[in-house]
Amino acid sequence: MINSLWQQHAPTLLVAWALLAAVWLWAMPRENIRWIDRAYPVLPLAVAAVAASGQVAPGFLADFLQFGIWLWLWLTVVWVISLIKRDASIMDIAYGLLLLAAPWWLYQHLGADGQASHLLLLAMATVGFGRYSLYILWRNLPHGEDPRYARWRQRSGARFWWWSYFQVFLLQGVVIWVWAIPLLFGMTSPGPIGFWHVAGALVWLVGFVFEAGADWQLTRFKRLRTDKSQLLNTGLWALTRHPNYFGQTCMWWGYSVFALSHPWGWLSVVPAIYVTWFMNKGSATSLMERHMAKSKPGYADYCANVPAFFPRLPTKTSQAKDKA
């Protein structure tokens, strides 16, 4: 379906995105806007221009653009559902489900031949994204709109219904689109399982332990705590304030290392660096830090002893303080 849509209506789709990008850029605030915020709307057009030139990996870029169309269509559907439910935080659920579906769609679309390396990547992505999707679905589904989105809705006022399409749904769509580049290369890498496949799987495994372990520890802590102001500062949460974000970053690095088995796989280092920046400094950690600082009285002391992102083994001094 997506391939036919691209073959028959590529110019129309590109014009439609150009119009959306123009509205997106026009509606952005004039102050406190980073260059990367302005890059998100135009990036698909830049990729399309390179693909049209036919000079750089035209086959890969065509598949990449078709994957973007697949994301665009599904995110538009999710946005419409969010309008009906008045709940933009369903994007958090859609994020996990789209990540889970993406490798399967790529596997089918790219005509992967079922060789061992492709199946290994499919298994890694299914386990990683599947666990994450189930966790987010369990965490978010019964509780209504997340307070962060609710505050955003209140600040944006009457324009939130259409502005959310750009700043919540399409924005995260572009992010997923870029991050999934290693999956695209990994699904088309030639040859049997080799060094880069094994190395990537090991890096991915470290990330999976951090992300899954951190989510399990947080769930258990919330169930046992006696006061919502209490902080989790043991286990993986004593090594980094965001072990789940660090774990997810390691998993994406695992996919990128895996993709180095492809002749063009070195391009996967770019999205891996972007994931690291996004999780550490770009949006994920900074948004959560502001939320935690407002809701947790002891968060400043926690920040003084535990690094924000990259894990650090606790010192004897900090261990003695915890015991005291």
Side-chain angles (χ1 to χ4, degrees), residues 65-80:
L65 288 167
Q66 289 177 56
F67 175 59
I69 294 170
W70 179 82
L71 285 170
W72 181 11
L73 292 176
W74 275 114
L75 286 170
T76 301
V77 171
V78 176
W79 171 66
V80 172

Side-chain angles (χ1 to χ4, degrees), residues 64-122:
F64 188 40
L65 288 167
Q66 289 177 56
F67 175 59
I69 294 170
W70 179 82
L71 285 170
W72 181 11
L73 292 176
W74 275 114
L75 286 170
T76 301
V77 171
V78 176
W79 171 66
V80 172
I81 295 173
S82 79
L83 296 181
I84 297 172
K85 293 177 60 65
R86 287 188 57 82
D87 182 358
S89 62
I90 65 170
M91 180 59 216
D92 291 345
I93 298 173
Y95 170 82
L97 294 176
L98 285 172
L99 284 176
L100 175 59
W104 286 92
W105 184 86
L106 287 170
Y107 183 83
Q108 182 180 34
H109 175 78
L110 297 172
D113 57 8
Q115 67 183 39
S117 60
H118 300 161
L119 294 176
L120 174 60
L121 179 59
L122 192 62

